[in-house]
């Protein structure tokens, strides 16, 4: 996947899908939650229509996520089409960790967006989720530094709840 640097797409998420991701995140605490989002790429952005939770099978699920392989493979053939991954950071900000970036090449060619949520509280002290979205870009800045491997980066994307 190739995208121009500086070009920011919008990720459109129905509030019902955001609520499902938030519920899955809270039900998974203290572990990281994970899943995939399904939808379609459209002019001006990505339209998410569904969230599919996936079991976190990481050896240390308190600090990392690893999608259950069988569930992940089933999602590759779903309709609507797989467009991204969601996971949570139970105790840190919803920005990509070093481990997130190191794991990205394993599935970056198959998805377009990367969503990270973290627990938050509303002004009324009600639980909610702070969600950040990122577009996956193939990094062609310096192919000599990649040691023959494809390099990817995550660029912040605008989230719009619908």
């Amino acid at each position: 996947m190739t995208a121009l640097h500086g070009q920011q797409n919008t990720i459109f998420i129905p509030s019902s899908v955001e609520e499902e991701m938030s519920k899955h995140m809270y039900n998974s605490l203290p572990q990281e939650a994970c899943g995939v989002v399904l939808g379609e790429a459209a002019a001006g952005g990505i339209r998410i229509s569904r969230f599919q939770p996936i079991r976190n099978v990481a050896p240390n699920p308190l600090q990392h996520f690893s999608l259950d392989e069988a569930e992940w493979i089933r999602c590759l053939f779903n309709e609507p089409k797989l467009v991204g991954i969601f996971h949570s950071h139970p105790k840190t900000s919803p920005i990509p960790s070093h481990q997130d970036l190191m794991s990205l090449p394993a599935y970056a060619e198959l998805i377009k967006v990367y969503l990270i949520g973290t627990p938050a509280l509303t002004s009324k002290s009600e639980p909610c989720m702070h969600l950040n979205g990122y577009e996956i870009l193939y990094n062609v800045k310096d192919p000599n530094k990649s040691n023959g491997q494809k390099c990817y980066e995550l660029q912040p994307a605008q989230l719009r709840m619908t």
Side-chain angles (χ1 to χ4, degrees):
M1 170 185 351
T2 304
L4 299 174
H5 291 280
Q7 178 185 0
Q8 185 180 29
N9 278 328
T10 301
I11 302 169
F12 298 92
I13 304 175
S15 58
S16 60
V17 171
E18 190 269 341
E19 288 171 15
E20 287 179 57
M21 290 188 292
S22 180
K23 183 183 280 188
H24 179 58
M25 176 188 67
Y26 276 99
N27 287 339
S28 299
L29 289 174
Q31 299 180 0
E32 288 194 14
C34 55
V36 297
V37 289
L38 308 164
E40 63 182 353
I46 311 286
R47 296 196 180 279
I48 293 172
S49 58
R50 234 178 82 211
F51 170 65
Q52 177 64 53
I54 294 183
R55 265 184 333 121
N56 182 354
V57 295
N60 184 359
L62 297 174
Q63 298 178 345
H64 181 60
F65 81 98
S66 182
L67 300 168
D68 178 271
E69 192 171 301
E71 293 178 40
W72 164 254
I73 290 170
R74 274 193 299 276
C75 290
L76 291 174
F77 301 103
N78 275 351
E79 288 295 331
K81 186 177 176 188
L82 173 71
V83 292
I85 287 179
F86 164 80
H87 80 281
S88 65
H89 287 176
K91 295 183 179 185
T92 61
S93 299
I95 57 173
S97 67
H98 177 72
Q99 184 66 41
D100 293 340
L101 296 173
M102 297 303 293
S103 301
L104 188 59
Y107 41 76
E109 287 188 29
L110 300 171
I111 59 176
K112 297 179 180 356
V113 299
Y114 195 88
L115 302 171
I116 304 173
T118 193
L121 295 174
T122 66
S123 59
K124 299 176 184 176
S125 297
E126 296 172 351
C128 65
M129 177 174 65
H130 180 195
L131 184 66
N132 281 348
Y134 301 88
E135 183 178 6
I136 298 171
L137 302 176
Y138 175 61
N139 187 348
V140 292
K141 287 181 183 174
D142 190 352
N144 296 325
K145 290 186 179 179
S146 67
N147 298 327
Q149 296 179 342
K150 291 186 177 182
C151 295
Y152 298 93
E153 63 183 56
L154 296 174
Q155 176 180 336
Q158 180 181 359
L159 295 178
R160 181 159 300 149
M161 299 302 165
T162 58

